[in-house]
Amino acid sequence: MSVIKTSGGSVDKVDIWGRRRLAYDIQKKSEGIYAVVDFSATADTAKELDRQLGLNEVVLRTKVMRVDAAKVAKAAKAAEAAKGRQAIAAKS
């Protein structure tokens, strides 16, 4: 993750799902630890992160997905509205 920070990106959220059974065996392993990392960075940085993770022997698989900007904005707006409702409920 240091590649993200050194290139000026930011790690927004790290969600460790824990040990799960794999859908199919990978390198004769049937279980793995799943982790989801939300980050903001350039496309080149994401590509470099994927390359570095691929070189790590401990990492079995990676998937880098780009989130649609409209969905991110909509989710942020919904979160802000929920926070506002909580603040109003707390005052009551």
Side-chain angles (χ1 to χ4, degrees):
M1 308 252 203
S2 64
V3 69
I4 296 170
K5 292 179 183 176
T6 58
S7 68
S10 66
V11 177
D12 303 325
K13 180 179 167 187
V14 177
D15 189 14
I16 306 295
W17 291 5
R19 185 174 295 279
R20 305 272 175 125
R21 181 155 179 77
L22 301 174
Y24 53 89
D25 288 359
I26 300 173
Q27 299 173 4
K28 299 183 181 180
K29 293 179 176 40
S30 59
E31 288 187 338
I33 298 173
Y34 283 71
V36 178
V37 180
D38 292 338
F39 64 92
S40 301
T42 63
D44 289 337
T45 303
K47 194 172 185 178
E48 177 62 16
L49 175 65
D50 194 35
R51 186 190 75 78
Q52 287 185 14
L53 289 173
L55 295 173
N56 190 335
E57 294 177 1
V58 177
V59 177
L60 298 176
R61 289 283 189 270
T62 63
K63 182 181 278 191
V64 177
M65 298 175 12
R66 181 172 41 161
V67 178
D68 184 23
K71 289 181 182 180
V72 172
K74 185 177 178 181
K77 189 174 182 180
E80 189 66 33
K83 190 184 289 186
R85 286 192 299 269
Q86 289 176 347
I88 292 170
K91 289 180 182 179
S92 301

